[in-house]
């Protein structure tokens, strides 16, 4: 350890006086010099390194290219007098009158995603804890298989099912039940008549679609918590549930965080199922029973008509750009939180 | 548990255990005196860990585990009807072969046990954490970084943290399963010293593979061979004049 540290510090001392360009050049040349001097296994290793660097760099490049392309396509709306950056909070979308407020879609997407995350994360983690800590081994394997199968169902199938089950359920049972109940009827988020096509329906079907991801990934994280941590907890007199909640959950939190990151991305990015059940009405939802329009739906529904109208088209690309920025933002925030969680747990 | 009369803090009578159909421990009878160190020796796989984990009922976690015979802790049969396994484990601490600090801060590692059992007062917890770390001879090294994650300590420090964690709920008995076998010699000797110190206040049952170590720290010793208790007596007597040839073979290094 010490020796290594010494030698690196000596290296940096040697390099200090040199010019920056020569340093960069040397850094670029080093792999080739190493390659020339290496023996056969060394050369194979070199090719492996390059071979793996290509996909890693490619994905970075793809993200950058997509961002540039979206920016390029949506620049007209952001720079024109009809649009401008204000469209991000603009509540009215009416291309016929040159009103391109996309705030309504952002609000719709966030509302659906919030419902979905709010339900899917706690339920999914609960399910994962059950699978990993309580479920007998014999039952765990088939249950996991079912969960993984759920993740593979195409979203349009979920949408069809939601249209036939969730939407009528909200219209005929859930809405009348809460609106006739004196405990809930006064709450603002339960107001308004509904035909079932609503934020709530979108949020619920998203919840069902996210659940398998959350359960499967969290379950993996929980199962990889070493047995000896559980034993240490039991040996202090903890019960099974105390151990599951305070030790296993806490130790697996970074992994569970990763599950949440993945589902966040899917929650705002999911298209078909949500499009089919949210009613696609251009209004900011104030109640769970209000219909709404999400970002992905507006792009899918209008891109075909909009192609010949430059501003309209550009506004749709702007929606896409903001969607991408939102998911990048969510992912980075979650990653920072995960990183912090791993630090406090001594994993890094 | 009630305050029954008892002579030895733990008494084991005719204890046999099985994993599935495999009989691991065979009719073991022995006892552990207050404030003594007992070394349990024997070759790998002879059932030392199984024996230790039967004393705090940690083996109950293994579905195929079965046991017969009586283990009395402070006069009460721990496998008897109505015996609380949580209460038992709270009063019999355990330190494992591989250091296993929780992935949380040093402070939280130690506060975990007391919090579990209902202590929430911040000042008392602070005092308890300090006291436990002092007993485990770790306080001076970590007192300025109690919020650092436990797993970031060195191996020897981690093991002392685990000892401090076990002591945090103040158990009269401490089980140690080869606590130094994964550590470097210096950390190992520190922990050996610690064991000798702790004897004043605790009954320690120490599984060890190392005859010299048993000689240095223990008062009594038990020699297990293929699940059988071959010898059980003063350590000095066993090591200086083994009565059984299997014990002698182990001491001289021919088996193990
Ligand atoms: N959880 C378990 N399930 C089944 N068999 C086990 C289990 N734990 C230990 N054993 C068996 O019990 C025997 C004794 O193991 P152990 O007590 O760990 O030995 P030691 O600690 O003396 O090396 C071994 O043969 C081992 O395979
Ligand atoms: Mg062992």
């Amino acid at each position: 350890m010490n020796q290594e540290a010494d030698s690196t510090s000596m290296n940096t001392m040697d390099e200090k006086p040199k010019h920056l360009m020569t340093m960069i050049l040397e850094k670029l040349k080093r792999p080739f010099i190493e390659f020339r001097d290496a023996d056969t296994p060394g050369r194979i290793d070199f090719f492996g390194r390059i071979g793996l660097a290509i996909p890693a760099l490619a994905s970075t490049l793809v993200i950058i290219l997509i961002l540039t392309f979206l920016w390029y396509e949506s620049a007209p709306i952001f720079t024109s007098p009809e649009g401008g950056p204000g469209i991000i909070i603009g509540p009215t979308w009416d291309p016929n009158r040159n009103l391109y407020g996309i705030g309504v879609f952002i609000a719709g997407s966030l509302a659906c995603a919030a419902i979905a995350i709010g339900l899917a994360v706690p339920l999914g983690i609960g399910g994962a804890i059950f699978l990993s800590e309580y479920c007998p081994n014999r039952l765990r394997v088939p249950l996991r298989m079912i969960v993984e199968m759920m993740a593979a169902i195409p979203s349009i199938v979920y949408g069809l099912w939601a249209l036939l089950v969730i939407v009528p359920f909200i219209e005929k049972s859930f809405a009348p039940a809460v609106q006739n109940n004196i405990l809930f009827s006064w709450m603002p988020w339960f107001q308004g008549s509904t035909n079932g096509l609503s934020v709530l329906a979108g949020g619920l079907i998203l919840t069902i679609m996210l659940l398998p991801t959350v359960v499967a990934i969290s379950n993996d994280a929980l199962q990889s918590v070493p047995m000896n941590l559980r034993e240490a907890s039991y040996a202090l007199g903890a019960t099974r549930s105390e151990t599951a909640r305070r030790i296993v959950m806490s130790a697996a939190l970074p992994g569970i965080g990763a599950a949440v990151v993945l589902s966040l991305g899917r929650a705002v990015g999911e298209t078909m199922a949500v499009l089919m059940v949210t009613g696609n009405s251009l209004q900011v939802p104030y109640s769970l029973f209000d219909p709404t329009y999400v970002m992905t739906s507006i792009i899918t529904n209008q891109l075909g008509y909009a192609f010949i109208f430059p501003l309209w088209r550009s506004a749709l690309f702007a929606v896409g750009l903001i969607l991408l920025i939102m998911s990048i933002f969510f992912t980075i925030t979650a990653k920072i939180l995960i990183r912090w969680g791993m630090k406090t747990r001594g994993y890094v | 548990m009630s305050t029954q009369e008892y002579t030895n803090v733990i008494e084991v009578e005719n204890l046999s255990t099985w994993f599935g159909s495999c009989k691991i421990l065979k009719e073991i009878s022995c006892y552990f005196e207050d404030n003594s160190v007992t070394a349990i020796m024997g070759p790998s796989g002879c059932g030392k860990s199984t024996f230790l984990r039967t004393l705090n009922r940690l083996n109950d976690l293994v579905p195929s585990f079965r046991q017969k015979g009586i283990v009395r802790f402070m006069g009460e049969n721990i496998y008897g009807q109505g015996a609380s396994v949580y209460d038992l484990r709270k009063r019999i601490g355990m330190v494992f072969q591989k250091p296993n600090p929780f992935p949380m801060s040093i402070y939280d590692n130690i506060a975990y046990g007391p919090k579990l059992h209902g202590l929430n007062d911040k000042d008392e917890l602070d005092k308890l954490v300090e006291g436990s770390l002092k007993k485990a001879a770790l306080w001076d090294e970590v007192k300025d970084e109690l919020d650092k994650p436990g797993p970031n300590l060195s191996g020897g420090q981690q093991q002392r943290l685990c000892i401090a964690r076990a002591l945090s709920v103040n158990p009269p008995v401490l089980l140690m399963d080869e606590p130094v076998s994964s550590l470097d010699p210096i950390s190992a000797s520190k922990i050996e010293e610690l064991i000798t110190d702790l004897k004043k206040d605790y009954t320690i049952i120490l599984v060890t593979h190392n005859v010299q170590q048993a000689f240095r720290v223990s008062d009594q010793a038990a020699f297990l061979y293929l699940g059988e208790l071959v010898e059980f007596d003063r350590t000095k007597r066993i090591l200086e004049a083994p009565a059984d040839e299997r014990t002698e073979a182990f001491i001289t290094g021919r088996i193990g």
Side-chain angles (χ1 to χ4, degrees):
Chain A
M1 265 311 269
N2 264 336
Q3 266 185 352
E4 246 174 60
D6 279 346
S7 68
T8 47
S9 68
M10 264 170 50
N11 271 347
T12 47
M13 284 222 311
D14 281 348
E15 282 170 15
K16 246 180 206 157
K18 282 187 200 162
H19 195 263
L20 190 69
M21 276 315 284
T22 32
M23 264 171 65
I24 292 175
L25 256 174
E26 233 169 53
K27 197 141 203 155
L28 285 178
K29 273 197 305 202
R30 194 174 301 149
F32 297 100
I33 297 172
E34 270 175 26
F35 180 68
R36 198 190 57 207
D37 298 342
D39 48 3
T40 315
R43 286 184 185 187
I44 294 173
D45 187 57
F46 175 84
F47 280 120
R49 230 182 324 152
I50 298 291
L52 295 174
I54 289 169
L57 290 177
S59 40
T60 321
L61 198 68
V62 165
I63 288 262
I64 292 173
L65 281 178
I66 291 179
L67 269 174
T68 329
F69 155 81
L70 282 176
W71 170 247
Y72 177 79
E73 289 289 338
S74 54
I77 189 74
F78 281 122
T79 50
S80 83
E82 282 96 351
I87 58 165
I88 294 177
I89 49 168
T92 317
W93 172 269
D94 191 350
N96 294 328
R97 290 188 287 144
N98 268 343
L99 290 172
Y100 296 104
I102 57 180
V104 51
F105 310 118
I106 298 179
S109 275
L110 286 180
C112 280
I115 295 172
I117 293 287
L119 288 175
V121 168
L123 285 177
I125 294 176
I129 291 181
F130 172 77
L131 274 187
S132 144
E133 305 299 309
Y134 292 93
C135 183
N137 279 336
R138 235 175 309 136
L139 211 60
R140 183 183 301 143
V141 179
L143 278 179
R144 266 218 63 148
M145 226 163 74
I146 292 171
V147 166
E148 273 157 22
M149 246 147 61
M150 267 180 77
I153 296 179
S155 73
I156 192 128
V157 177
Y158 275 115
L160 286 172
W161 178 79
L163 212 51
L164 286 180
V165 178
I166 293 186
V167 171
F169 169 77
I170 290 175
E171 184 190 4
K172 305 239 167 61
S173 314
F174 187 69
V178 290
Q179 285 173 345
N180 294 332
N181 188 321
I182 197 123
L183 279 178
F184 303 112
S185 56
W186 57 272
M187 296 180 180
W189 47 87
F190 290 136
Q191 299 306 314
S193 62
T194 180
N195 60 357
L197 298 168
S198 56
V199 186
L200 184 61
L204 286 181
I205 192 61
L206 266 181
T207 304
I208 293 172
M209 294 172 70
L210 297 186
L211 261 177
T213 322
V214 180
V215 172
I217 299 179
S218 306
N219 180 54
D220 284 347
L222 293 168
Q223 297 243 281
S224 65
V225 172
M227 194 58 201
N228 67 17
L229 289 186
R230 296 184 174 83
E231 285 180 343
S233 171
Y234 289 126
L236 283 164
T239 62
R240 192 190 272 248
S241 94
E242 284 163 339
T243 304
R245 276 183 290 123
R246 302 207 199 174
I247 298 301
V248 185
M249 256 269 278
S250 161
L253 218 51
I256 294 176
V260 176
V261 173
L262 274 181
S263 32
L264 265 173
R266 187 160 189 203
V268 288
E270 177 53 44
T271 312
M272 273 333 284
V274 183
L275 181 148
M276 291 163 80
V277 299
T278 47
N280 296 336
S281 145
L282 288 164
Q283 63 182 89
V284 175
Y286 291 105
S287 137
L288 287 175
F289 299 133
D290 284 344
T292 192
Y293 220 133
V294 299
M295 299 168 84
T296 47
S297 306
I298 189 72
I299 299 177
T300 320
N301 280 345
Q302 298 198 342
L303 199 57
Y305 313 113
F307 245 81
I308 42 171
F309 305 98
L311 268 189
W312 190 356
R313 182 188 124 116
S314 172
L316 291 178
F317 276 98
V319 174
L321 177 68
I322 287 164
L323 190 57
L324 180 59
I325 291 174
M326 265 166 60
S327 28
I328 291 175
F329 170 76
F330 287 148
T331 314
I332 290 177
T333 318
K335 287 271 173 198
I336 289 170
L337 286 176
I338 291 172
R339 186 88 193 155
W340 173 80
M342 295 189 45
K343 272 236 168 69
T344 58
R345 288 172 176 74
Y347 290 159
V348 285
Chain B
M1 287 188 199
S2 65
T3 49
Q4 274 192 1
E5 287 295 311
Y6 59 90
T7 36
N8 298 302
V9 61
I10 293 185
E11 293 164 341
V12 180
E13 252 174 57
N14 269 325
L15 176 72
S16 303
T17 68
W18 291 262
F19 284 121
S21 59
C22 194
K23 192 168 181 181
I24 306 293
L25 296 178
K26 294 162 189 163
E27 288 84 34
I28 288 181
S29 299
C30 58
Y31 58 88
F32 303 96
E33 293 168 357
D34 275 316
N35 300 347
S36 70
V37 178
T38 306
I40 296 179
M41 289 180 287
S44 288
C46 67
K48 305 183 294 292
S49 300
T50 307
F51 178 63
L52 221 53
R53 296 157 71 94
T54 306
L55 298 183
N56 68 349
R57 293 186 60 177
L58 211 53
N59 276 332
D60 290 16
L61 300 175
V62 181
S64 66
F65 175 77
R66 270 185 317 125
Q67 124 294 331
K68 216 179 124 221
I70 297 177
V71 180
R72 273 193 218 94
F73 173 63
M74 294 185 149
E76 294 257 348
N77 183 4
I78 64 169
Y79 286 98
Q81 254 181 358
S84 159
V85 60
Y86 305 111
D87 201 38
L88 174 81
R89 290 186 192 145
K90 183 185 151 193
R91 305 207 294 158
I92 300 189
M94 183 157 192
V95 177
F96 297 80
Q97 180 163 3
K98 216 174 126 227
N100 54 356
F102 296 134
M104 43 175 89
S105 72
I106 294 173
Y107 185 98
D108 289 338
N109 257 284
I110 298 180
Y112 177 73
K115 273 187 187 162
L116 215 52
H117 301 297
L119 182 64
N120 278 314
D121 185 74
K122 179 86 177 79
D123 290 336
E124 293 219 13
L125 274 176
D126 287 351
K127 255 189 267 164
L128 209 101
V129 168
E130 179 176 345
S132 308
L133 283 170
K134 278 185 172 153
K135 278 188 215 158
L138 189 60
W139 174 251
D140 292 328
E141 288 160 62
V142 302
K143 63 169 180 277
D144 298 322
E145 41 185 24
L146 291 178
D147 52 354
K148 211 175 108 171
N152 285 5
L153 295 172
S154 75
Q157 289 175 323
Q158 284 186 22
Q159 193 61 302
R160 277 178 283 149
L161 178 63
C162 293
I163 295 175
R165 180 177 64 192
L167 297 179
S168 67
V169 288
N170 212 9
V173 177
L174 200 55
L175 310 176
M176 302 178 113
D177 191 352
E178 304 195 40
V180 303
S181 65
S182 67
L183 303 180
D184 61 281
I186 293 174
S187 307
S189 71
K190 258 190 204 156
I191 288 181
E192 253 182 45
E193 242 171 72
L194 181 61
I195 294 173
T196 326
D197 272 356
L198 289 173
K199 193 170 80 168
K200 288 198 297 288
D201 305 309
Y202 301 90
T203 304
I204 295 175
I205 305 176
L206 171 75
V207 166
T208 175
H209 210 84
N210 181 325
V211 179
Q212 272 81 38
Q213 185 182 53
F215 190 75
R216 282 192 298 266
V217 301
S218 68
D219 308 303
Q220 306 177 91
F223 178 68
L224 279 178
Y225 189 77
L226 296 179
E228 230 179 282
L229 184 64
V230 176
E231 283 198 55
F232 175 67
D233 204 342
R234 305 268 111 200
T235 309
K236 235 174 132 98
R237 211 282 290 138
I238 292 189
L239 295 184
E240 281 168 0
D244 192 288
E245 58 187 25
R246 287 168 293 183
T247 319
E248 190 178 356
F250 180 76
I251 293 168
T252 53
R254 270 182 287 134
I255 52 174

